[in-house]
């Protein structure tokens, strides 16, 4: 009996040891967790931010340098802003200095002190004693721009830390859709990136002239942009130019997508230039079916039904081989925000060396929905999208062609129903942001049989590209051919495949 009790006690002691060991590990984990939370709380505590990236000595030196030599403010006015300074007292002083500068008033200890006194902030910043102290922390005027950039970089680091904590918190709460959260994170980082005006983007005219002349010599008699394959159009545009936003607009049924496909085919097959198409309206298989139809001359209806002869199947296979070897990339994401697009562009440009981006079509894009984003009227959303498309084209230095719908005003208008710039749907910002605006116009669509040029020329199977705005060239109209059966555009000369040669 005694032996049995000893065995039970031994087992109990062993069990208690395991339990104590587990509890010790649990306590250690909880202590580490508490330590992490305490560190996080310490970071978020406005009264204790030793871990924040900052350059307090440089903040004081820069302000002191401005008070001693206000002329140096000219070199840094586009860098410094009140919010980039860490100390609240320094923020208030810089606010006053910038106000005096914008009002063309003198900047010195007296004027700054007097303005702070008017605002009731002089005692808050430490009085005249602190202002005098700042002037003793002198730096060379030649270095003030460099030091200002360091202050700006510290501010950007603080923004990145704050944004990271915000994203961590939102992720842990699991209250938002993960895709919306990704969009929001991208938007926040995009906003920070847009504030980083610390790069030297100013170039002398001497440098720019040399670069331009070298480019012209390199191009020779060739187009200096990406040719569309439509001869008369390329004569006006000299090809699609880098950093340009091109709006291709028309009413539904005019052939916006078909023209974009015909043009894309010319570029990727003949020139082997990589293109990325964002197809928000049609799926990738539908787009490829259109492409095959235009390439083979077989209607989409027959391709869908597979009602083809043996020779036609051989034709399809041979054309498919050509197309499959071309550098064409298609993204058919339906719900696409401007932040998604920017992220995808960056990835595809890096992976596939994309040189041209086509968006079909702009009004189907979204500005990005998230609980912290304000709801905007649709007109402002489209303005936001077009403005950012232009920014993306400049950032990645490539042309972006955005297809766009026209308003119903074209249909209600009397006469020949030619589109004009004011017909651009939902936003006047499209006209403002675009470098080139082109309309597709087919009189045959409205039941007209002749062109309105006074010569009574028949318009069946023909279309016109109306270049209504061209920031870097002339505006004109270009006649092209349109095959309704294959939904295909070609050069005007004879309506055959000249656009593809």
């Amino acid at each position: 009996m005694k032996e049995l009790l000893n065995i039970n006690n031994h087992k109990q002691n062993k069990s208690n040891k395991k339990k104590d060991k587990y509890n010790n590990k649990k306590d250690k984990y909880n202590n580490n967790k508490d330590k992490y939370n305490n560190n996080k709380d310490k970071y978020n505590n406005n009264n204790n931010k030793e871990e924040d990236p900052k350059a307090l000595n440089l903040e004081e030196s820069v302000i002191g340098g401005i008070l001693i030599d206000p002329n140096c403010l000219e070199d840094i006015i586009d860098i410094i802003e009140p919010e980039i300074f860490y100390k609240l007292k320094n923020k208030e002083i810089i606010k006053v200095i910038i106000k005096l500068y914008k009002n063309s008033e003198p900047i010195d200890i007296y004027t700054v002190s007097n303005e702070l006194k008017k605002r009731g902030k002089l005692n808050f910043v430490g009085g005249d004693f602190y202002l005098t102290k700042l002037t003793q922390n002198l730096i060379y005027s030649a270095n003030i721009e460099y030091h200002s950039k360091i202050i700006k970089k510290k501010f950007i680091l603080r923004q990145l830390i704050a944004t990271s904590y915000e994203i961590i918190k939102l992720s842990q709460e699991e209250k938002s859709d993960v895709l919306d959260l990704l969009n929001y994170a991208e938007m926040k980082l995009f906003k920070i990136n847009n504030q980083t005006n610390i790069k030297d983007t100013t170039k002398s005219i001497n440098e720019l002239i040399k670069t331009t002349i070298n480019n012209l010599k390199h191009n020779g008699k060739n187009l200096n942009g990406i040719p569309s394959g439509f001869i008369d159009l390329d004569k006006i545009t000299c090809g699609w130019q880098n950093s340009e936003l091109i709006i291709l607009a028309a009413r539904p049924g005019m052939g916006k997508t078909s023209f974009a496909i015909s043009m894309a085919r010319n570029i990727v097959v003949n020139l082997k230039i990589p293109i990325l198409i964002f197809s928000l309206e049609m799926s990738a298989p539908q787009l490829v079916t259109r492409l095959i139809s235009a390439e083979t001359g077989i209607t989409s209806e027959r391709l869908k039904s597979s009602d083809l002869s043996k020779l036609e199947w051989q034709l399809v296979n041979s054309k498919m081989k050509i197309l499959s070897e071309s550098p064409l990339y298609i993204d058919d994401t339906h719900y696409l925000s401007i932040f998604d697009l920017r992220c995808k562009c960056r990835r595809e440009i890096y992976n596939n060396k994309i040189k041209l981006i086509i968006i079909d079509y702009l009004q189907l894009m979204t500005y990005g929905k998230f609980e912290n984003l304000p709801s905007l009227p649709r007109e402002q959303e489209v303005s936001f999208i077009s403005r950012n498309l232009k920014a993306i084209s400049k950032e990645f230095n490539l042309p972006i062609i955005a297809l766009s719908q026209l308003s119903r005003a074209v249909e209600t208008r009397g006469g020949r129903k030619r589109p004009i710039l004011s017909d651009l749907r939902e936003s006047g910002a499209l006209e403002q942001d675009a470098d080139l605006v082109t309309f597709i116009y087919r009189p045959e669509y409205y039941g007209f049989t002749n062109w309105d040029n006074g010569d009574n020329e028949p318009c069946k199977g023909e279309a016109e590209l109306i270049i209504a705005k061209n920031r870097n060239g002339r505006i004109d109209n270009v006649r092209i051919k349109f095959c309704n059966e294959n939904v295909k555009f070609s050069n005007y000369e004879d309506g055959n495949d000249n656009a593809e040669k």
Side-chain angles (χ1 to χ4, degrees):
M1 185 69 178
K2 188 175 181 180
E3 292 178 357
L4 183 62
L5 288 173
N6 289 334
I7 291 172
N8 288 336
N9 288 334
H10 178 73
K11 288 182 177 179
Q12 184 67 34
N13 290 334
K14 192 175 182 180
S15 175
N16 289 337
K17 286 182 180 178
K18 288 183 177 180
K19 189 174 182 180
D20 291 340
K21 190 175 181 181
Y22 168 77
N23 287 332
N24 288 335
K25 287 184 177 180
K26 186 177 180 181
D27 291 340
K28 187 176 180 181
Y29 168 78
N30 288 332
N31 288 336
N32 288 335
K33 187 176 180 181
D34 291 339
K35 186 177 180 181
Y36 166 78
N37 289 330
N38 288 336
N39 286 337
K40 184 179 175 182
D41 292 338
K42 182 180 178 182
Y43 173 80
N44 290 325
N45 188 352
N46 289 330
N47 296 322
N48 195 357
K49 292 189 175 181
E50 288 85 355
E51 299 175 3
D52 279 356
K54 53 187 176 290
L56 298 182
N57 290 337
L58 289 183
E59 288 186 13
E60 295 177 358
S61 297
V62 167
I63 296 175
I66 295 172
L67 292 176
I68 294 296
D69 182 13
N71 292 328
C72 68
L73 189 58
E74 298 283 353
D75 299 326
I76 60 173
I77 192 63
D78 59 336
I79 300 174
I80 62 167
E81 300 167 286
E83 58 264 27
I84 75 171
F85 286 80
Y86 186 81
K87 270 190 176 181
L88 293 179
K89 57 172 66 177
N90 292 340
K91 289 179 189 285
E92 293 297 331
I93 295 172
I94 282 295
K95 283 181 184 177
V96 168
I97 289 175
I98 291 176
K99 177 184 178 293
L100 293 173
Y101 173 81
K102 290 182 176 179
N103 292 341
S104 300
E105 298 178 26
I107 298 173
D108 53 37
I109 293 180
Y110 173 78
T111 55
V112 172
S113 174
N114 189 48
E115 184 64 29
L116 286 168
K117 187 181 295 184
K118 288 180 182 178
R119 299 186 178 196
K121 296 288 185 179
L122 184 59
N123 291 332
F124 173 77
V125 303
D128 292 334
F129 173 78
Y130 183 70
L131 293 176
T132 305
K133 178 186 172 184
L134 292 177
T135 60
Q136 297 171 358
N137 299 325
L138 292 179
I139 59 174
Y140 292 109
S141 298
N143 298 334
I144 195 168
E145 182 178 359
Y146 177 77
H147 292 152
S148 298
K149 288 181 179 180
I150 293 177
I151 297 172
K152 185 66 175 280
K153 289 176 181 178
K154 299 293 184 182
F155 167 69
I156 293 169
L157 289 174
R158 295 197 298 272
Q159 281 193 310
L160 287 172
I161 292 172
T163 298
S164 299
Y165 271 118
E166 182 183 4
I167 300 304
I168 290 171
K169 180 182 177 183
L170 292 171
S171 300
Q172 290 173 338
E173 290 175 351
E174 298 186 39
K175 293 181 180 179
S176 306
D177 180 77
V178 66
L179 295 179
D180 287 340
L181 184 56
L182 283 171
N183 285 339
Y184 180 68
E186 175 73 15
M187 182 207 70
K188 295 287 283 187
L189 293 174
F190 183 67
K191 184 177 179 182
I192 294 173
N193 184 59
N194 282 347
Q195 295 175 343
T196 58
N197 56 331
I198 53 179
K199 296 179 181 178
D200 187 8
T201 56
T202 304
K203 298 178 181 178
S204 69
I205 186 64
N206 182 46
E207 180 184 355
L208 291 171
I209 287 177
K210 287 180 179 178
T211 303
T212 303
I213 294 298
N214 287 335
N215 289 337
L216 292 174
K217 288 180 179 178
H218 177 74
N219 292 323
K221 295 182 179 180
N222 298 322
L223 301 174
N224 60 0
I226 299 176
S228 66
F230 294 93
I231 298 171
D232 292 335
L233 176 63
D234 290 334
K235 287 178 181 178
I236 298 173
T237 64
C238 294
W240 305 126
Q241 304 295 314
N242 288 336
S243 77
E244 286 195 349
L245 173 62
I246 299 102
I247 299 295
L248 178 64
R251 286 293 295 157
M254 280 288 177
K256 296 186 298 295
T257 303
S258 301
F259 180 81
I261 290 175
S262 299
M263 177 179 60
R265 186 267 170 208
N266 297 337
I267 297 171
V268 299
V269 172
N270 297 339
L271 304 174
K272 302 298 181 183
I273 295 176
I275 291 180
L276 174 60
I277 298 179
F278 289 98
S279 180
L280 284 75
E281 185 177 31
M282 299 173 63
S283 67
Q286 288 175 324
L287 209 61
V288 171
T289 302
R290 283 264 196 111
L291 190 57
I292 296 171
S293 174
E295 186 73 7
T296 60
I298 302 171
T299 63
S300 297
E301 291 79 8
R302 292 190 61 207
L303 286 172
K304 292 174 187 175
S305 65
S306 300
D307 181 22
L308 305 179
S309 66
K310 186 176 180 179
L311 288 176
E312 286 174 328
W313 275 118
Q314 290 177 355
L315 177 62
V316 170
N317 290 332
S318 65
K319 293 294 185 180
M320 282 295 292
K321 184 180 180 181
I322 296 173
L323 292 173
S324 63
E325 295 173 352
S326 63
L328 178 62
Y329 303 89
I330 300 173
D331 185 311
D332 61 356
T333 304
H334 178 67
Y335 183 87
L336 186 67
S337 71
I338 189 67
F339 308 109
D340 291 328
L341 180 121
R342 184 176 180 272
C343 185
K344 289 173 183 283
C345 287
R346 181 182 295 277
R347 182 174 62 248
E348 293 301 323
I349 289 170
Y350 178 79
N351 292 332
N352 298 309
K353 312 300 180 187
I354 299 299
K355 300 298 182 184
L356 173 67
I357 294 170
I358 299 174
I359 301 169
D360 184 16
Y361 59 89
L362 186 145
Q363 279 79 11
L364 291 179
M365 291 187 66
T366 63
Y367 124 96
K369 302 297 181 187
F370 196 78
E371 57 185 9
N372 290 353
L373 285 177
S375 179
L376 296 178
R378 184 56 184 163
E379 181 178 344
Q380 291 184 27
E381 285 190 14
V382 174
S383 298
F384 178 85
I385 291 168
S386 69
R387 185 167 62 252
N388 279 277
L389 285 179
K390 176 59 182 174
I392 291 171
S393 70
K394 290 185 68 177
E395 178 183 356
F396 297 126
N397 192 33
L398 48 70
I400 293 180
I401 301 175
L403 279 56
S404 175
Q405 294 278 28
L406 291 178
S407 68
R408 291 188 179 90
V410 180
E411 310 290 344
T412 59
R413 184 181 302 133
R416 303 288 293 196
K417 304 185 185 300
R418 281 181 169 271
I420 55 177
L421 286 172
S422 60
D423 294 327
L424 287 170
R425 188 175 176 181
E426 292 179 321
S427 178
L430 294 179
E431 176 186 348
Q432 174 183 320
D433 296 328
D435 296 281
L436 191 144
V437 178
T438 300
F439 301 121
I440 299 176
Y441 173 62
R442 291 195 296 115
E444 186 182 6
Y445 177 85
Y446 296 110
F448 299 113
T449 57
N450 298 299
W451 285 102
D452 55 348
N453 57 1
D455 295 331
N456 258 354
E457 296 175 345
C459 62
K460 184 177 181 180
E462 296 182 0
E464 201 168 61
L465 297 175
I466 302 173
I467 302 176
K469 177 187 177 182
N470 188 0
R471 185 169 285 155
N472 300 307
R474 61 188 170 94
I475 59 174
D476 205 342
N477 298 339
V478 175
R479 197 79 60 84
I480 55 177
K481 288 286 186 178
F482 175 72
C483 178
N484 195 35
E485 289 185 0
N486 306 117
V487 201
K488 174 184 177 182
F489 289 88
S490 59
N491 278 310
Y492 184 71
E493 280 76 6
D494 52 12
N496 56 19
D497 290 344
N498 284 344
E500 302 169 6
K501 292 181 179 179

